[in-house]
Amino acid sequence: MELVRILARNVKHHRKLQGMTQEQLALSIEMKRSYVSGIECANRNPSVKALERLASALNINPSELFVPLDKYPDDQYPPIPRGRRV
């Protein structure tokens, strides 16, 4: 899988784990919601500074944004709760 798609999946996954909407994440990193959406759709290539801000808002290490989801042990990467809109 290409890196931009891994980043997209991880941003979306971690955002949902935090219970945040795209709008809430965008406000917390002082960017537009459409930019966050573009990252999550793999249409944007964020700068290193933007990645640092994203990781900080998501309470993760920036390097975690590039680890494929299937590389996490089940006990360290909880699934997104189903049946709940975030």
Side-chain angles (χ1 to χ4, degrees), residues 51-81:
L51 292 172
E52 288 177 333
R53 289 162 56 185
L54 277 168
S56 178
L58 296 171
N59 298 311
I60 59 172
N61 186 305
S63 65
E64 292 179 65
L65 293 171
F66 298 102
V67 178
L69 293 177
D70 60 351
K71 298 293 183 195
Y72 284 96
D74 290 336
D75 62 340
Q76 291 183 3
Y77 205 84
I80 298 170

Side-chain angles (χ1 to χ4, degrees), residues 21-51:
T21 64
Q22 288 180 345
E23 184 71 29
Q24 291 168 326
L25 178 58
L27 287 172
S28 72
I29 60 174
E30 299 178 350
M31 293 183 180
K32 293 185 178 189
R33 188 210 52 82
S34 60
Y35 187 77
V36 171
S37 176
I39 293 170
E40 290 185 2
C41 292
N43 293 328
R44 297 275 185 175
N45 293 307
S47 69
V48 171
K49 287 188 178 196
L51 292 172

Side-chain angles (χ1 to χ4, degrees), residues 15-16 19-21 24 80-86:
R15 174 180 60 78
K16 288 186 173 189
M20 299 173 82
T21 64
Q24 291 168 326
I80 298 170
R82 299 290 178 213
R84 188 179 118 186
R85 277 207 146 163
V86 287

Side-chain angles (χ1 to χ4, degrees), residues 6 9-10 14 26 31 66:
I6 292 170
R9 289 179 67 194
N10 284 336
H14 284 287
M31 293 183 180
F66 298 102

